[in-house]
Amino acid sequence: MTTQPTVGWEAHADLVVVGGGVAGLTAARTATRAGLRVVTVSKGGPTDTATVYAQGGIAVSSGYDVDAHVADTLAAGGGLCDEDAVRSIVAAGADAVTALADLGAVFDRGRDGEVSRTREGGHSARRIIHAGGDATGAEVQRALNAAGMPVLFGAAAARVVTGPSGVQGLIVLSDNGIRGSDAGAGVIHAPAVLLATGGLGQLYSCSTNPPGATADGVALALDAGAVVADLEFVQFHPTVLYAAGGVGRRPLISEAVRGEGAILVDSHGDSVTAGVHPMGDLAPRDVVSKAIAARLRRRGEDHVYLDARRIDGFALRFPTITASCREVGLDPTTDLIPVAPAAHYACGGVVTDSHGRTAVPGLLAAGEVARTGLHGANRLASNSLLEGLVVGERAGLAAAERSAVAVQVTSAEVPPLPAVPRGALQAAMTAHASVVRDGDGLAAAADVLARASSRRPSTVADLEDAALTATATALILAASARTESRGCHTRLDHPDTDDTRRRPLRVRRTPEGALALTDLIPTGA
């Protein structure tokens, strides 16, 4: 006799999409057009996504420029990109952007009527298209929202349920406790779940990410039996608007500003990147962030400056940045802009192929939460929206492979999960796993995480704290094991790159429930 779950509500679908940003909505639309029944859940509202805050644009190339775009991506990736995945995703970019434009997305055009293109750090050509000057993500989100895909807002994924045949469904909670009933959780029976939950910026005290970027997808995937990789590579954007004591989400000063001619200087007016890299202020983000961090250590200061005063028409080209500066009493046309690095983008995540498939049948991932091999050890600027569009569409189609699988969720219980208080976790990660790291600091962070206590989650905040704790633990494991400096992982005690360590570090749960590097888990476990 089959035991039926005790739930507040139930639904049935062919695909559940978790997340309402560029990857999630692209996948949902594609799967729906392919005839699948799709339920999309988002713990926030229609604009509470990282996509909305993407300023710079979309890196899109075609024809002769594809090879150069691939080469730039591989160079930024520090030897850990999957070249086949890079070429596959980059080559599909033009078609993905055309599909987005067909939905109504409007991109900026020059006087000649052609789509405007700018250049950003690490790019050898002007291939970045943008919208609203510096509001590209907001325009992408607007166009996808306007496509009319239904989304269940205020609903957080609590657990991916699996069985012998793979994914069976998803348990859902809301901010007000267990959604729909005090007696049980909401359950969506489905043979496929796509994780499109965004990043992990809330691991740190200061980030460009929205409050909901709490690494939910990484934790859900680990608990479902998937593998994560490259988590130690967290990209810190070099130019985030600095404010003394500032915490939480901080405004980004897009590197498109440097692409248009702004320069980085220290408090003495000296160039920050001169002699550091041939591309100077337009070097890859890890290079610029480390150059700033080194200058700040040398000067004993906490920020440098961006001099954008020579850019004509700044307010028209960068209206979002202008507004952010004016909110704190700055005028970019006359004032230097104080900036410092802050957590920005997760280069690693749930291991997938270039169509979003994980090793768990029916579990897919796309966007920032996924590790497709596109980014390697450091993401090339503006490849993120590109990846969300391309892999989101492919994952939506890949979900059809599971549509005939029979499913039945027989338990709606969410087990107790370890969690460290968020403030303590963020303080430890900011102090010890930021732009630069060392073994002693990583060990100190590990000690904080080891003191996590387990509790059964009853709110979205509980789920987020548990997700942050699991992801931080996996990140510290990998960062401690990577005793070299590569990409955006810099070890002060191991400053050189070690070619013998040129491989991804993968983490998954052991049969006993602990997190461990996969090469430390016995074969067959």
Side-chain angles (χ1 to χ4, degrees), residues 349-368:
V350 184
V351 175
T352 75
D353 64 13
S354 59
H355 288 71
R357 305 181 190 94
T358 74
V360 177
L363 184 63
L364 303 134
E368 189 174 353

Side-chain angles (χ1 to χ4, degrees), residues 213-429:
T214 50
D216 305 344
V218 171
L220 289 166
L222 284 167
D223 286 342
V227 176
V228 302
D230 294 344
L231 284 183
E232 67 271 33
F233 300 112
V234 178
Q235 186 180 80
F236 286 76
H237 198 288
T239 53
V240 173
L241 185 61
Y242 172 81
V247 296
R249 195 192 77 80
R250 297 295 305 154
L252 174 69
I253 309 297
S254 169
E255 65 200 283
V257 176
R258 282 173 279 139
E260 297 296 338
I263 58 173
L264 280 165
V265 296
D266 63 17
S267 60
H268 292 215
D270 297 328
S271 169
V272 173
T273 62
V276 172
H277 190 278
M279 297 179 79
D281 287 348
L282 285 175
R285 288 174 175 172
D286 64 308
V287 174
V288 180
S289 287
K290 283 183 281 192
I292 293 173
R295 185 63 54 88
L296 294 180
R297 285 197 305 274
R298 187 186 316 160
R299 298 282 192 207
E301 298 171 345
D302 47 21
H303 65 280
V304 294
Y305 297 92
L306 193 62
D307 185 353
R309 294 174 295 183
R310 69 188 67 188
I311 298 177
D312 293 332
F314 186 96
L316 182 63
R317 173 65 178 86
F318 301 108
T320 304
I321 293 171
T322 299
S324 295
C325 289
R326 286 176 176 167
E327 285 179 5
V328 295
L330 294 171
D331 181 350
T333 65
T334 59
D335 298 322
L336 296 176
I337 305 171
V339 294
H344 182 55
Y345 196 90
C347 298
V350 184
V351 175
T352 75
D353 64 13
S354 59
H355 288 71
R357 305 181 190 94
T358 74
V360 177
L363 184 63
L364 303 134
E368 189 174 353
V369 71
R371 188 270 185 194
T372 60
L374 174 65
H375 305 308
N378 184 39
R379 177 181 69 107
L380 183 66
S382 288
N383 270 356
S384 54
L385 290 176
L386 166 73
E387 183 181 38
L389 289 168
V390 172
V391 182
E393 179 178 6
R394 292 175 175 179
L397 294 174
E401 300 166 1
R402 293 275 299 175
S403 59
V405 175
V407 296
Q408 177 62 59
V409 178
T410 59
S411 174
E413 183 176 74
V414 179
L417 300 171
V420 172
R422 192 172 308 192
L425 182 146
Q426 290 175 333
M429 295 297 289

Side-chain angles (χ1 to χ4, degrees), residues 151-166:
V151 180
L152 180 60
F153 294 112
R159 190 182 189 194
V160 177
V161 181
T162 61
S165 62

Side-chain angles (χ1 to χ4, degrees), residues 135-158:
T136 308
E139 175 60 12
V140 170
Q141 188 74 52
R142 183 205 63 77
L144 289 169
N145 287 348
M149 294 305 305
V151 180
L152 180 60
F153 294 112

